[in-house]
Amino acid sequence: METAIRYNYFLYCRKSNGNEKDASPSIDAQYKELVAYAEKQNLNIVGVFKEIQSAFEIGRPKFAEMIERVKDGDANGILTWEISRLSRNMQDVALIDNLLKEKRLLSVLTP
């Protein structure tokens, strides 16, 4: 009998800067939408990461912490408001891609 995979998700919210003219919703708005989506889809959220920082360059502390915790097996999924919230630079894209290839990361969801 095959065992069903249990998905544990990190919720990741990011805004490029504190500027309200930034096109993405506020951190709080992203968080509320993601929590509502997770509840509706019955997703198991095991951690929340929020940061205000551009993703064009590497060096986001919360993103790095989340990636390390995925590598440690604390979660195998990421729920984020929009895929661009995860990365806008090739090094971080490669990190996500490698985690998917290695099957340490099994799911990346957006509402």
Side-chain angles (χ1 to χ4, degrees):
M1 183 176 197
E2 203 171 303
T3 305
I5 296 173
R6 178 164 171 83
Y7 290 91
N8 293 313
Y9 286 88
F10 285 141
L11 192 150
Y12 183 75
C13 303
R14 182 185 66 80
K15 187 151 175 79
S16 294
N17 56 48
N19 185 344
E20 288 305 314
K21 292 180 182 177
D22 181 359
S24 62
S26 70
I27 295 286
D28 289 339
Q30 289 178 43
Y31 176 78
K32 287 176 186 173
E33 183 175 339
L34 293 172
V35 167
Y37 180 83
E39 288 174 357
K40 184 177 180 181
Q41 299 298 318
N42 199 29
L43 302 178
N44 187 40
I45 304 298
V46 296
V48 175
F49 296 88
K50 299 177 183 179
E51 66 189 338
I52 298 174
Q53 190 166 341
S54 173
F56 280 111
E57 296 180 19
I58 60 171
R60 291 174 288 147
K62 295 294 183 180
F63 177 81
E65 179 185 349
M66 179 180 68
I67 293 300
E68 286 306 309
R69 290 192 53 199
V70 168
K71 289 178 182 178
D72 290 343
D74 294 342
N76 54 7
I78 297 172
L79 175 61
T80 190
W81 177 74
E82 179 185 60
I83 201 70
S84 70
R85 300 299 86 205
L86 286 181
S87 181
R88 290 183 177 253
N89 71 73
M90 292 308 293
Q91 288 177 300
D92 290 344
V93 169
L95 281 172
I96 297 290
D97 186 53
N98 285 335
L99 289 170
L100 289 164
K101 285 178 182 173
E102 295 169 355
K103 301 209 184 303
R104 290 184 189 188
L105 184 60
L106 301 175
S107 177
V108 177
L109 295 177
T110 63

